[in-house]
Amino acid sequence: MTITITAFERSPDGGQGLARDTRVRWALEEVGQPYGVRLVSFRAMKEPAHMKLHPFGQIPTYEEGDLALFETGAIVLHIAGRHAGLLPVEADARARATAWMFAALNTVEPPIVERETVELLESDKPWYEERLPLVEQRVRDRLDQLSDRLGDADWLDGGFSAGDLMMVSVLLRSRASGILDDYPNLAAYVARGEARPAYGRAFDAQLAVFTGQPPG
Ligand code: GTB
């Protein structure tokens, strides 16, 4: 069945892989599923046709036959559940990999996004100088813990899984702040994720939207 996802027509990062469709593209590439992309403008995202697919008027969405999904966590979990390659077969290992997906989205990503939001939207506010270090510390608290847990392992729980796909995607969002550089094992973990051929194909495809050049 044909899979269609949505992505930004013009991503604010110029196609550097930070918009959340990258995670979905990466998952589809890992499991070898071809997909089409419908590009949407910021205006089109808030129009009824797109709001029917995504109640919050965002990207990415995922369509496959009669199924329409939103939320990258749900989409990646769906892909990982349908196709081999992203979740272990053994039930307990599968549950742990799923826990890492949720940890990435619910525990690690929120402080990273909060810090980014403060930097982008509050730099002209009187509280900015005081608030930024506070939210930055919340990011560091989480990365300290994640770094301790990862140690010198390649991946979070055995082999590469959807949990790593999501965690690497989330950590990539903190790289521009420079914080990741203070955690050599996490920086190496992210680099391992980026070195996966499937990630490379996903990144190139997203960048191609911006450059207008075909990927590769
Ligand atoms: N919880 C949802 C999910 O995981 O799917 C969040 C989806 C979401 O935040 N979508 C964003 C969006 O559609 C794009 S990814 N925003 C438009 C809107 O809300 O009107 C967030 C994002 C956008 C751009 C960059 N960037 O350029 O660096 C990074 C991340």
Side-chain angles (χ1 to χ4, degrees):
M1 211 151 342
T2 309
I3 294 170
T4 305
I5 68 167
T6 51
F8 281 139
E9 187 178 72
R10 289 186 69 78
S11 183
D13 70 342
Q16 289 304 308
L18 296 177
R20 284 184 170 94
D21 58 293
T22 309
R23 303 167 187 192
V24 175
R25 292 173 186 268
W26 186 6
L28 288 166
E29 293 288 353
E30 288 285 350
V31 301
Q33 281 298 301
Y35 63 96
V37 182
R38 192 168 61 249
L39 300 176
V40 287
S41 65
F42 279 93
R43 200 178 66 187
M45 276 190 284
K46 309 299 176 204
E47 284 171 359
H50 188 79
M51 296 292 289
K52 244 173 99 177
L53 289 173
H54 197 306
F56 307 113
Q58 297 183 312
I59 60 98
T61 58
Y62 176 99
E63 291 157 84
E64 183 184 12
D66 290 337
L67 175 68
L69 286 177
F70 60 97
E71 284 297 330
T72 44
I75 296 170
V76 171
L77 195 56
H78 169 76
I79 295 166
R82 282 272 168 102
H83 307 281
L86 279 173
L87 284 175
V89 174
E90 197 272 314
D92 287 357
R94 202 174 175 92
R96 288 195 302 273
T98 309
W100 279 116
M101 283 184 69
F102 280 85
L105 294 170
N106 286 352
T107 303
V108 179
E109 188 166 48
I112 291 173
V113 171
E114 189 187 15
R115 189 202 166 281
E116 190 181 290
T117 306
V118 168
E119 204 168 37
L120 284 176
L121 302 180
E122 299 179 20
S123 62
D124 59 344
K125 304 290 187 234
W127 58 78
Y128 177 72
E129 295 297 338
E130 218 172 327
R131 182 158 153 73
L132 186 66
L134 293 177
V135 293
E136 180 154 326
Q137 190 53 50
R138 283 183 212 136
V139 176
R140 288 184 184 280
D141 289 346
R142 286 295 176 237
L143 297 196
D144 284 345
Q145 293 162 327
L146 186 65
S147 172
D148 285 350
R149 173 53 82 101
L150 180 67
D152 58 7
D154 278 355
W155 307 113
L156 287 166
D157 192 309
F160 175 81
S161 77
D164 296 296
L165 182 152
M166 209 52 97
M167 192 64 81
V168 167
S169 301
V170 162
L171 293 177
L172 271 167
R173 210 158 160 186
S174 75
R175 189 157 63 185
S177 69
I179 298 174
L180 202 55
D181 298 337
D182 294 339
Y183 299 87
N185 70 333
L186 294 183
Y189 170 65
V190 168
R192 267 191 297 282
E194 288 179 296
R196 292 181 71 82
Y199 178 84
R201 289 192 294 274
F203 182 93
D204 290 350
Q206 201 207 51
L207 182 63
V209 173
F210 194 81
T211 63
Q213 303 295 317

